[in-house]
């Protein structure tokens, strides 16, 4: 089955600086890579995703890159703000025409934005 | 849409008791997932359904766990009998075909 590794487990950055979280996956059949943000006491919330037919996707201060050859993908947050403090999870799945497959999650990164 | 709705939000029960967690997916979504989150193991997929049919239950820890989806708008996850090591936050999520998964707020289960 799929195995997703995520690092670092904790990341502390100064407000306004950039943050980068990296993940690797093992199953070459995986073709869908979402990133989730989880705040205390809440469920994970999708913030951005990328499919294997593109190498990069950007949404305002958030961007994700994918390297299929190396089987790794990264989340980039620029101009970090206090509200970006949360736990971030990467995930991978093989989304086939027969229906969505379950996501395999990384262990999470606790992002701390220092004022 | 109100999103994925889970109940109860919190459940405290004694070891050996039966526990039933409930989920109402987003209308129109045809895939439903049950996840368990713990500090030690992170987010683990327990089981998922496509069009109300269980597709993969290999993540269900043991026979004490069972899940059903009698119709497109309701699913249950049952633990019988419950044990202290089942204490965790259980999430339900739903999605379109090949689309992103939307999570509920979770049920925090404590077995004492």
């Amino acid at each position: 089955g799929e195995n997703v590794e995520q690092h670092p487990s904790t990341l502390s950055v100064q407000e306004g600086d950039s943050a980068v979280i990296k993940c690797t996956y093992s199953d070459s059949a995986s073709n869908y890579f979402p990133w989730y943000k989880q705040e205390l006491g809440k469920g994970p919330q999708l913030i951005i995703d990328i499919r294997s037919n593109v190498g990069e996707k950007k949404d305002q201060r958030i961007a994700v890159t994918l390297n299929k050859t190396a089987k790794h993908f990264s989340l980039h947050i620029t101009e970090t703000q206090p509200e970006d403090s949360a736990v971030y999870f990467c995930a991978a799945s093989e989304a086939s025409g027969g229906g969505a497959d379950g996501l395999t999650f990384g262990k999470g990164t606790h992002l701390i934005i220092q004022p | 849409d109100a999103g994925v709705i889970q109940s109860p939000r919190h459940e405290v029960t004694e070891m050996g008791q039966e526990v039933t967690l409930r989920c109402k997916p987003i209308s129109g979504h045809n895939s439903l997932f049950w996840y368990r989150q713990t500090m030690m193991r992170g987010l683990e997929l327990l089981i998922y359904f496509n069009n109300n049919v269980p597709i993969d239950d290999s993540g269900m820890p043991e026979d004490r766990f069972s899940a059903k989806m009698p119709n497109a708008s309701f699913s249950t996850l049952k633990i019988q009998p419950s044990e202290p090591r089942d204490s965790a936050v259980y999430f339900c999520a739903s999605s379109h075909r090949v689309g992103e998964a939307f999570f509920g707020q979770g049920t925090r289960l404590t077995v004492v």
Side-chain angles (χ1 to χ4, degrees):
Chain A
E2 176 66 274
N3 181 50
V4 177
E5 300 285 340
Q6 180 174 351
H7 59 93
S9 57
T10 303
L11 177 61
S12 181
V13 301
Q14 290 293 124
E15 182 178 350
D17 288 349
S18 296
V20 180
I21 303 171
K22 298 181 179 181
C23 289
T24 60
Y25 63 99
S26 61
D27 188 350
S28 57
S30 289
N31 56 16
Y32 176 64
F33 308 92
W35 286 86
Y36 284 82
K37 177 183 181 182
Q38 186 176 27
E39 297 175 330
L40 198 61
K42 297 185 178 181
Q45 182 179 12
L46 179 73
I47 56 172
I48 195 168
D49 57 11
I50 192 168
R51 298 181 190 271
S52 59
N53 57 344
V54 298
E56 184 174 357
K57 183 176 179 180
K58 190 173 181 180
D59 182 4
Q60 298 182 356
R61 296 186 296 109
I62 295 173
V64 58
T65 59
L66 170 65
N67 183 328
K68 282 215 71 180
T69 303
K71 296 198 189 72
H72 65 70
F73 56 114
S74 302
L75 176 72
H76 304 252
I77 306 174
T78 58
E79 301 172 22
T80 52
Q81 300 169 4
E83 55 264 36
D84 295 330
S85 294
V87 179
Y88 291 80
F89 292 94
C90 63
S93 79
E94 181 186 358
S96 64
D101 282 0
L103 294 165
T104 300
F105 282 88
K107 287 289 194 289
T109 296
H110 186 191
L111 177 62
I112 301 165
I113 307 301
Q114 303 278 8
Chain B
D1 199 316
V4 176
I5 300 173
Q6 291 186 245
S7 63
R9 289 295 311 276
H10 303 274
E11 176 80 33
V12 180
T13 191
E14 291 186 347
M15 181 174 62
Q17 296 298 305
E18 177 180 295
V19 175
T20 299
L21 311 181
R22 296 174 175 80
C23 176
K24 179 179 176 3
I26 294 172
S27 177
H29 285 189
N30 67 335
S31 295
L32 183 140
F33 310 84
W34 283 101
Y35 288 88
R36 178 172 68 176
Q37 186 175 36
T38 61
M39 287 295 293
M40 290 297 295
R41 301 175 69 89
L43 274 162
E44 301 174 280
L45 176 66
L46 300 178
I47 185 172
Y48 74 94
F49 298 81
N50 284 340
N51 298 313
N52 312 338
V53 176
I55 302 299
D56 184 356
D57 65 353
S58 59
M60 297 285 260
E62 45 196 279
D63 291 346
R64 298 184 296 105
F65 286 68
S66 63
K68 294 182 179 179
M69 191 165 186
N71 57 63
S73 59
F74 184 66
S75 177
T76 59
L77 177 68
K78 186 175 293 187
I79 308 172
Q80 165 64 19
S82 58
E83 297 182 3
R85 61 194 168 117
D86 301 331
S87 298
V89 181
Y90 292 81
F91 287 103
C92 175
S94 70
S95 75
H96 300 284
R97 285 172 66 129
V98 305
E100 65 272 16
F102 293 86
F103 282 74
Q105 295 280 55
T107 295
R108 180 174 295 277
L109 173 65
T110 304
V111 183
V112 298

